[in-house]
């Protein structure tokens, strides 16, 4: 395996990723170094009365600032490019170290030669290099530093270059010079040896850990599949028998089969699912995706699922939503599971004709979810234990034999990971009430708004000429939107964001770019809001605001390429436009076959045709942008 | 009948067959099309996406040129039609705009221009007299052809601006196709979106949206889809093979411009030259 391959390959290890960032620190520190060199020189002159060559050292300071500016721009470009490779970074780091050392050698020479305390500064670089670069590179660098220092020292010693001698320094003879040099060299090599061994050990451990995690993931998925498959297969076979497809069976036999099927479903399958889910969370196999989640969406699915069991059992589920647009920040699947567990639990421990109530509302900055039942209740001494893994209260075990005692611990995990709170109130044989409070996303948003741009709504309204305040969220627009399945926000949610001055959320959404301008929403809006015009304004604002990240970059690239093409000829030259676009967003050869075919059929012109009066058209471009 | 004709960029290139068939059919119906000299691109979706002023300016130039000519302006391309209608309505709301752009373009002319109407070719054909002409010109009624008409977005929306037929259930194209003998089936996807220009940047969306149209047409057992927009044609015809590759479904549904079917029914000899430009083979129409 070549050294380069090794570097690229190990780029994914966290320590190294972090170290790439630290290449940036080098640059930051160097700004200070450039300023400190002349400042310290002056201070040393005034305070310590040392006679240092101020002019020369100040010029060195300026040189440092100069090349650091170049590094700074190069580093910014490197960090912006999508596929930033470690090889490039290691070359960049090598170059920085070499130039820095030449400069340090110059400073050393101008501040007393090998006796200058600046000599110690060589160690910084070799330490960082030992962790960042390959071992071979480090030894080469250490050799370079030693040679550089030795060269300076000997040139000074033999009078080829005149040394600057400070008052506290003694004259060196060849023996003390050699001992200085050998100590320096051995320090450098020892640092390389120690730091690279520690670094290598660390890297291999990390790699090992990551492999283990990947293996664990594999094992988990195989295990999950292997455990569930035989159960569901058996279940479906039993169902075939129950349905009488395998020939007639006696009622007695049927009852037994039904009971086995029930045990499989509620005892085994549910337990297996609980355990698998719990295990996945414990080893962090389930990664949360944090978005704005409307609680209403989450709730409806969980309620529908719980109703299936509740109906069978004769338990009623009542829902009470104060605000259906209540939004929290979190992972949709996690929240869904949390609600499902709470509802399932409530239904399970509530006798027939009981009631489970789910209510959702907002109190101050919190969204509040409450699941209350009229069930068996939890004994007082068990209340503090219910969130423990595998814990089941005595009365729970009596009431329902099946269960793992994991459901509520999963609930607790989810609530904790969302920065929320859960509390439980209960009275034996009367019922239990779980209250979950989660940070309210809109409230968070409002807080942001107070300090940011509260005029966003009026800007968008006046630029688009659309009265967004009229929107009352009937969602007709969203219902007719053809691209809604792939956007981050729906049309009505974009309106809501604008209404609430949520500038950065609206401008950084993918919806504004994916909108195909089909105008279906505009035609169906009861308030006559032309959302296509609003989307256009949002796109334009997003492009204007530098700090906004453009989602769907290739679409904005398409529009600007299209317009550039009009600007040059007055008409679209399809071939030229497509080639320019492909160069910009990639896939140059993906349409090649189709393009040839079209040229053959006379559907693509090779050369553009220019409109007479193109100047006037270009003047419009000028006044428009 | 005389009109100024604004073909637009697509009709000079990827939708050449739409341009050729438009001209040939109009000739048969004694409609004289005089191509607007030095027309420019209407700006399409990209212009209004990135700059309202640019979008108005680009379409304004064509309108001003047409007004100078003094004839009503007819277009076959749904996007050109839409942009022209939108900007005409901006002129109506803000009369100063027109003079402002005349100055920028250095076009001399009256402050009070001739009022011209911008029309889509379907609107021209659907008018009483022309419709009668159509009936008379049919030599080979397409009686065995089962088809659905697909209008897309830009003809019918925004309805208060284009005023084209009906926003949710347009029938102009259906009527016209019935007039030349086609068995037109009703379907609910007349004004759905095909994914438009996303085909170059998010082809997955076009796969889904155009794929939906194609599979519905296939399920209905029609012989073809009839369209009136070059971009719809491109997504449904030119891209059909790619959609098939990416979705793993086979459609093989030919897509015709309404003018092409009229050309066949009128027995215009140049017809094969148009159909050979399609990606999905539609030559079966020429055989019987």
């Amino acid at each position: 395996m070549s050294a380069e391959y090794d570097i690229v390959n190990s780029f994914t290890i966290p320590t190294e990723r972090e170290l790439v960032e630290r290449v940036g620190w080098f640059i930051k520190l160097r700004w200070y170094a450039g300023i400190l060199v002349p400042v310290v020189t002056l201070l040393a002159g005034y305070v310590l009365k040392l006679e240092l060559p101020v002019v020369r050292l100040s010029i060195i300071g300026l040189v440092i600032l100069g090349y650091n500016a170049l590094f700074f721009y190069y580093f910014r470009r490197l960090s912006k490019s999508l596929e930033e490779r470690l090889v490039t970074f290691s070359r960049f780091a090598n170059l920085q170290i070499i130039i820095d050392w030449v400069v340090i050698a110059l400073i050393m020479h101008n501040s007393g030669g090998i006796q200058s305390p600046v000599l110690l500064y060589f160690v910084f670089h070799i330490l960082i290099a030992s962790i960042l670069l390959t071992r071979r590179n480090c030894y080469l660098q250490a050799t370079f530093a030693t040679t550089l220092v030795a060269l300076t020292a000997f040139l000074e010693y033999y009078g080829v270059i005149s040394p600057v001698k400070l008052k506290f320094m003694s004259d060196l003879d060849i023996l003390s010079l050699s001992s200085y040099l050998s100590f320096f060299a051995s320090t450098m090599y020892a640092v390389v040896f120690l730091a690279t061994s520690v670094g290598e050990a660390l890297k291999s451990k990390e790699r090992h850990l990551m492999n283990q995690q990947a293996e664990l993931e594999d094992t988990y998925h195989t295990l999950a599949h292997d455990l569930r498959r035989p159960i569901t297969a058996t279940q479906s076979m039993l169902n075939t028998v129950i349905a009488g497809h395998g020939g007639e069976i006696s009622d007695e036999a049927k009852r037994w089969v039904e009971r086995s099927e029930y045990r499989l479903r509620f005892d085994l399958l549910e337990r297996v699912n609980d355990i698998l889910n719990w295990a996945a969370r414990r080893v962090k196999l389930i990664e949360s995706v944090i978005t704005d989640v409307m609680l209403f969406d989450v709730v409806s699915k969980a309620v529908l699922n719980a109703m299936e069991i509740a109906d069978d059992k004769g338990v009623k589920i009542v829902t009470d939503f104060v605000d259906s647009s209540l939004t929290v920040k979190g992972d949709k699947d996690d929240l869904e599971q949390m609600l499902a567990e709470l509802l399932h639990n409530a239904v399970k421990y509530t006798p027939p004709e009981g009631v489970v109530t789910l209510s959702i509302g907002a109190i101050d900055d919190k969204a509040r979810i409450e699941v209350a039942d009229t069930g068996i209740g939890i004994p007082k001494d068990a209340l503090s234990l219910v969130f423990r893994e595998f814990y089941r209260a005595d009365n729970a075990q009596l009431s329902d034999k099946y269960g793992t005692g994991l459901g509520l611990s999963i609930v607790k995990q989810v609530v904790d990971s969302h920065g929320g709170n859960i509390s439980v109130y209960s009275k034996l044989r009367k019922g239990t009430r779980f209250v979950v409070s989660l940070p309210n996303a809109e409230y968070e948003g409002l807080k942001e708004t107070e300090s940011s741009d509260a005029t966003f709504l009026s800007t968008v309204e006046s630029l688009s000429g659309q009265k967004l305040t009229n929107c009352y969220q009937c969602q007709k627009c969203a219902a007719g939107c053809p691209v809604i399945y792939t956007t981050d926000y729906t049309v009505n949610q974009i309106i809501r964001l604008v209404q609430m001055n949520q500038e950065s959320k609206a401008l950084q959404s993918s919806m504004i770019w994916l909108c195909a301008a089909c105008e279906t929403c505009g035609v169906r809006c009861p308030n006559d809001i032309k959302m296509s015009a609003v989307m256009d304004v949002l796109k334009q604002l997003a492009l204007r605001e530098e700090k906004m990240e453009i989602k769907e970059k290739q679409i904005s690239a398409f529009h600007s390429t299209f317009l550039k093409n009009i600007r040059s000829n007055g008409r679209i030259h399809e071939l030229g436009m497509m080639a320019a676009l492909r160069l910009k967003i990639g896939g140059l050869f993906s349409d090649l076959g189709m393009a040839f075919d079209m040229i053959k059929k006379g559907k693509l012109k090779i050369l553009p045709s220019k409109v007479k009066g193109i100047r006037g058209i270009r003047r419009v471009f000028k006044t428009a942008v | 009948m005389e009109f100024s004709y604004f073909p637009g960029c697509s009709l000079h290139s990827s939708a050449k067959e739409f341009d050729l068939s438009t001209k040939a059919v109009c000739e048969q119906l004694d409609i004289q099309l005089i191509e607007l000299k030095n027309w420019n691109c209407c700006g399409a979706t990209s212009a209004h996406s990135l700059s309202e002023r640019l979008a108005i300016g680009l379409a304004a130039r064509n309108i001003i040129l047409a007004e100078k000519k003094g004839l009503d302006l007819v277009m076959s391309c749904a996007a050109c039609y839409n942009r022209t209608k939108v900007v005409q309505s901006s002129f109506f709301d803000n009369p100063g705009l027109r003079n402002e752009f005349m100055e920028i373009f250095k076009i001399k002319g009256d402050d009070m221009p001739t009022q011209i109407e911008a029309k889509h070719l379907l609107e021209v054909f659907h008018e009483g007299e022309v419709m009668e002409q159509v009936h008379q010109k049919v030599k080979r009624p397409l009686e065995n052809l089962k088809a659905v008409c697909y209008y897309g977005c830009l003809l019918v929306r925004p309805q208060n601006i284009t005023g084209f037929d009906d926003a949710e259930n347009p029938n102009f194209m259906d009527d016209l196709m019935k007039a030349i003998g086609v068995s037109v089936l009703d379907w609910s996807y007349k004004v759905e979106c095909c994914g438009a220009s996303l085909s170059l940047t998010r082809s997955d969306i076009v796969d889904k949206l155009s794929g939906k149209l194609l599979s519905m047409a296939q399920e209905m057992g029609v012989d073809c889809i009839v369209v009136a927009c070059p971009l719809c044609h491109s997504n449904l015809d030119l891209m059909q093979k790619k959609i098939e590759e990416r979705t793993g479904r086979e459609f093989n549904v030919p897509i015709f411009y309404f003018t092409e079917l009229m050309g066949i029914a009128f027995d215009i000899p140049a017809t094969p030259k148009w159909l050979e430009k399609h990606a999905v083979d539609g030559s079966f129409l020429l055989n019987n």
Side-chain angles (χ1 to χ4, degrees):
Chain A
M1 200 198 299
S2 76
E4 285 203 353
Y5 177 74
D6 196 59
I7 292 168
V8 177
N9 212 25
S10 57
F11 190 33
T12 42
I13 301 172
T15 340
E16 293 192 333
R17 248 177 296 163
E18 206 182 307
L19 278 164
V20 167
E21 278 169 32
R22 296 207 175 152
V23 170
W25 286 19
F26 256 148
I27 294 170
K28 268 189 203 152
L29 284 176
R30 207 175 285 114
W31 295 123
Y32 295 110
I35 296 163
L36 279 175
V37 169
V39 171
V40 171
T41 309
L42 283 173
L43 274 178
Y46 283 110
V47 182
L48 302 172
K49 306 279 183 246
L50 294 176
E51 285 167 30
L52 287 165
V54 179
V55 179
R56 260 191 273 168
L57 284 170
S58 304
I59 292 175
I60 293 179
L62 282 177
V63 169
I64 295 177
L65 292 177
Y67 73 74
N68 200 40
L70 290 178
F71 283 160
F72 175 73
Y73 282 112
Y74 183 64
F75 181 67
R76 256 209 345 204
R77 237 187 52 194
L78 265 190
S79 321
K80 263 187 195 164
S81 68
L82 295 173
E83 293 276 327
E84 132 206 325
R85 302 187 325 149
L86 202 66
V87 192
T88 326
F89 259 103
S90 74
R91 279 194 199 130
F92 185 38
N94 266 324
L95 179 75
Q96 287 193 56
I97 291 169
I98 289 172
I99 294 180
D100 277 348
W101 278 350
V102 171
V103 172
I104 295 177
L106 275 174
I107 299 175
M108 183 185 82
H109 166 64
N110 281 297
S111 59
I114 197 156
Q115 293 180 74
S116 164
V118 173
L119 186 68
L120 294 173
Y121 277 29
F122 276 92
V123 179
F124 283 158
H125 289 72
I126 200 66
L127 195 63
I128 298 266
S130 302
I131 308 170
L132 186 59
L133 306 176
T134 56
R135 194 174 269 201
R136 209 189 74 182
N137 263 336
C138 293
Y139 281 115
L140 283 176
Q141 287 281 16
T143 311
F144 173 71
T146 313
T147 318
L148 194 66
V149 171
L151 197 70
T152 320
F154 280 115
L155 287 178
E156 280 177 359
Y157 180 76
Y158 289 111
V160 182
I161 47 175
S162 52
V164 176
K165 225 182 89 191
L166 304 182
K167 57 184 181 187
F168 60 84
M169 292 172 179
S170 53
D171 279 331
L172 284 181
D173 54 23
I174 189 83
L175 197 70
S176 46
L177 179 71
S178 312
S179 61
Y180 261 110
L181 278 177
S182 48
F183 272 96
F184 175 72
S186 53
T187 309
M188 293 297 268
Y189 287 116
V191 168
V192 172
F193 175 73
L194 288 174
T196 48
S197 345
V198 173
E200 284 302 319
L202 197 69
K203 279 186 218 170
S204 88
K205 256 189 201 146
E206 263 177 355
R207 227 169 267 146
H208 183 65
L209 263 179
M210 285 173 72
N211 285 343
Q212 259 186 343
Q213 178 76 8
E215 259 172 46
L216 202 60
E217 223 165 291
D218 271 355
T219 318
Y220 171 80
H221 287 302
T222 322
L223 192 69
H225 181 248
D226 285 356
L227 282 176
R228 283 188 193 123
R229 198 195 43 190
I231 305 174
T232 46
T234 316
Q235 226 189 313
S236 81
M237 285 184 253
L238 292 180
N239 278 326
T240 318
V241 175
I242 294 167
H245 296 311
E248 236 175 82
I249 51 169
S250 70
D251 283 353
E252 181 64 14
K254 194 173 166 189
R255 235 191 342 271
W256 282 107
V257 178
E258 272 170 352
R259 276 187 64 183
S260 354
E261 198 272 341
Y262 184 83
R263 285 290 292 267
L264 268 186
R265 184 148 41 111
F266 287 102
D267 199 2
L268 195 54
L269 189 59
E270 219 166 79
R271 255 180 226 225
V272 166
N273 280 340
D274 269 2
I275 291 171
L276 284 172
N277 203 296
W278 165 81
R281 277 173 196 284
R282 274 308 280 266
V283 296
K284 307 226 176 313
L285 284 182
I286 300 180
E287 274 192 29
S288 305
V289 183
I290 305 297
T291 51
D292 281 357
V293 182
M294 266 202 214
L295 279 180
F296 183 77
D297 295 342
V298 180
V299 166
S300 35
K301 198 170 166 194
V303 170
L304 280 178
N305 283 338
M307 273 201 183
E308 265 180 45
I309 312 168
D311 282 351
D312 283 350
K313 204 176 167 185
V315 171
K316 212 169 131 189
I317 297 184
V318 182
T319 51
D320 175 19
F321 302 140
V322 178
D323 178 3
S324 63
S325 72
L326 199 60
T327 308
V328 298
K329 263 208 183 338
D331 179 280
K332 199 173 174 200
D333 294 338
D334 280 1
L335 291 170
E336 214 159 68
Q337 203 192 349
M338 176 199 81
L339 266 167
E341 293 284 358
L342 282 175
L343 285 170
H344 186 205
N345 230 36
V347 172
K348 193 160 150 188
Y349 297 116
T350 302
E353 290 180 29
V355 180
V356 171
T357 315
L358 168 70
S359 37
I360 288 185
I363 294 181
D364 296 336
D365 57 342
K366 297 269 189 283
R368 188 173 182 279
I369 303 164
E370 184 182 312
V371 178
D373 63 50
T374 57
I376 59 171
I378 302 170
K380 220 178 196 169
D381 54 341
L383 269 180
S384 57
L385 303 170
V386 286
F387 296 115
R388 273 206 193 164
E389 286 157 355
F390 297 106
Y391 178 81
R392 296 191 74 211
D394 291 345
N395 65 334
Q397 292 188 34
L398 279 176
S399 140
D400 191 319
K401 274 183 286 181
Y402 316 129
T404 49
L406 283 172
L408 286 175
S409 75
I410 291 173
V411 170
K412 180 86 165 79
Q413 273 178 9
V414 173
V415 174
D416 285 346
S417 71
H418 282 73
N421 251 318
I422 182 164
S423 33
V424 51
Y425 309 89
S426 186
K427 213 168 189 182
L428 269 182
R429 287 181 294 277
K430 288 278 181 201
T432 306
R433 190 154 56 96
F434 284 94
V435 180
V436 176
S437 65
L438 298 168
N440 181 345
E442 287 191 14
Y443 190 86
E444 295 281 306
L446 280 177
K447 272 195 292 188
E448 270 167 40
T449 313
E450 280 165 20
S451 59
S452 72
D453 189 7
T455 58
F456 185 55
L457 168 65
S458 56
T459 309
V460 175
E461 282 196 334
S462 78
L463 284 175
S464 65
Q466 304 303 316
K467 195 91 187 115
L468 293 177
T469 26
N470 284 353
C471 168
Y472 45 66
Q473 297 283 319
C474 73
Q475 307 192 14
K476 268 214 156 95
C477 49
C481 179
V483 293
I484 193 174
Y485 75 94
T486 180
T487 60
D488 48 4
Y489 290 105
T490 60
V491 191
N492 59 298
Q493 281 171 342
I494 292 283
I495 301 184
R496 190 95 178 93
L497 287 175
V498 178
Q499 283 176 339
M500 299 188 62
N501 289 311
Q502 296 286 290
E503 183 176 7
S504 64
K505 275 183 197 157
L507 297 188
Q508 297 186 79
S509 89
S510 68
M511 177 77 222
I512 61 176
W513 295 101
L514 291 173
C515 164
C518 76
E519 310 249 15
T520 308
C521 50
V523 168
R524 295 182 184 166
C525 176
N527 288 309
D528 215 17
I529 298 171
K530 299 275 176 283
M531 268 312 278
S532 163
V534 176
M535 297 293 181
D536 285 348
V537 166
L538 294 177
K539 273 179 267 200
Q540 290 153 24
L541 289 175
L543 288 176
R544 211 184 293 168
E545 294 279 336
E546 251 185 42
K547 42 179 203 251
M548 294 299 162
E549 188 198 331
I550 304 289
K551 287 273 170 68
E552 305 294 333
K553 278 202 183 81
Q554 69 277 40
I555 298 179
S556 80
F558 166 77
H559 291 319
S560 56
T561 311
F562 193 91
L563 293 184
K564 256 187 211 150
N565 198 279
I566 302 179
R567 195 181 172 282
S568 48
N569 302 308
R571 289 178 191 172
I572 285 294
H573 176 232
E574 285 172 331
L575 188 61
M577 195 271 293
M578 265 157 66
L581 178 70
R582 287 293 169 218
L583 280 175
K584 219 170 184 177
I585 67 171
L588 186 59
F589 302 107
S590 62
D591 301 333
L592 221 55
M594 199 168 74
F596 276 128
D597 198 36
M598 285 171 75
I599 292 171
K600 219 170 63 195
K601 287 179 178 166
K603 291 186 88 164
L604 270 188
K605 282 191 201 167
I606 307 274
L607 294 174
S609 55
K610 202 170 245 163
V611 177
K612 259 190 213 166
I614 182 74
R615 281 200 178 155
I617 294 172
R618 287 186 189 160
R619 277 196 294 277
V620 179
F621 272 89
K622 239 184 213 164
T623 61
V625 185
Chain B
M1 242 190 271
E2 262 192 349
F3 289 100
S4 286
Y5 171 54
F6 169 31
C9 309
S10 296
L11 273 80
H12 267 209
S13 176
S14 58
K16 192 76 198 148
E17 65 269 38
F18 198 10
D19 181 52
L20 295 173
S21 54
T22 294
K23 286 177 185 160
V25 170
C26 283
E27 200 187 315
Q28 289 277 314
L29 295 170
D30 289 328
I31 296 170
Q32 230 194 312
L33 298 181
I34 303 162
E35 188 165 321
L36 206 59
K37 261 189 197 155
N38 273 314
W39 55 264
N40 59 272
C41 172
C42 71
T45 312
S46 294
H48 73 73
S49 290
L50 300 195
S51 161
E52 196 198 4
R53 187 164 167 86
L54 185 62
I56 294 178
L58 288 171
R61 188 170 170 277
N62 294 323
I63 297 172
I64 294 168
L65 290 177
E67 283 171 347
K68 279 195 70 146
K69 202 86 196 140
L71 295 171
D72 281 353
L73 182 62
V74 68
M75 288 151 282
S76 288
C77 171
C80 295
Y81 167 74
N82 186 287
R83 293 310 307 161
T84 307
K85 288 295 243 190
V86 169
V87 173
Q88 264 200 326
S89 119
S90 314
F91 277 9
F92 183 80
D93 296 336
N94 181 359
L97 263 183
R98 188 178 170 280
N99 289 345
E100 206 182 311
F101 279 110
M102 277 179 77
E103 241 167 64
I104 292 177
F105 293 124
K106 298 198 171 138
I107 299 176
K108 288 183 197 96
D110 305 325
D111 281 351
M112 291 291 294
T114 330
Q115 290 293 323
I116 60 152
E117 208 178 319
K119 287 180 173 181
H120 189 263
L121 192 64
L122 276 173
E123 293 176 304
V124 175
F125 285 176
H126 199 265
E127 270 162 30
E129 284 169 56
V130 186
M131 202 60 163
E132 246 165 62
Q133 276 277 327
V134 172
H135 278 288
Q136 283 168 18
K137 289 285 174 188
V138 175
K139 293 189 187 133
R140 288 178 51 196
L142 301 170
E143 266 154 1
N144 296 323
L145 189 69
K146 264 207 291 188
V148 282
C149 294
Y150 173 58
Y151 297 77
C153 310
L154 295 169
L155 289 176
V156 292
R157 290 188 293 262
Q159 182 65 202
N160 60 339
I161 283 173
T162 67
F164 183 96
D165 198 359
D166 184 276
E168 303 279 2
N169 185 23
N171 277 303
F172 281 7
M173 205 176 350
D174 294 55
D175 295 344
L176 203 61
M177 289 301 104
K178 282 174 194 161
I180 60 170
V182 178
S183 319
V184 182
L185 268 65
D186 202 9
W187 70 329
S188 50
Y189 288 170
K190 279 181 178 179
V191 294
E192 290 295 299
C193 176
C194 69
S197 63
L198 290 172
S199 54
L200 290 172
T201 50
R202 280 285 306 262
S203 49
D204 59 307
I205 293 180
V206 173
D207 292 346
K208 184 163 173 113
L209 301 185
S210 287
K212 199 172 81 171
L213 297 168
L214 291 167
S215 65
M216 177 53 93
Q218 192 182 34
E219 269 174 49
M220 291 173 71
V222 294
D223 303 313
C224 63
I225 301 177
V226 194
V227 299
C229 166
L231 194 51
C232 299
H233 192 274
S234 161
N235 279 344
L236 293 172
D237 174 72
L238 199 57
M239 297 290 169
Q240 195 173 127
K241 207 162 174 198
K242 286 203 168 184
I243 297 173
E244 285 177 339
E245 279 165 18
R246 288 185 294 238
T247 57
R249 287 197 57 164
E250 207 181 303
F251 298 114
N252 204 19
V253 177
I255 316 294
F256 297 108
Y257 290 108
F258 66 96
T259 44
E260 290 178 318
L261 293 188
M262 290 170 79
I264 294 167
F266 294 173
D267 212 6
I268 296 173
T271 316
K273 288 249 180 272
W274 314 334
L275 299 194
E276 72 186 21
K277 293 185 190 295
H278 289 200
V280 182
D281 186 26
S283 58
F284 71 95
L285 273 184
L286 303 166
N287 304 332
N288 42 27

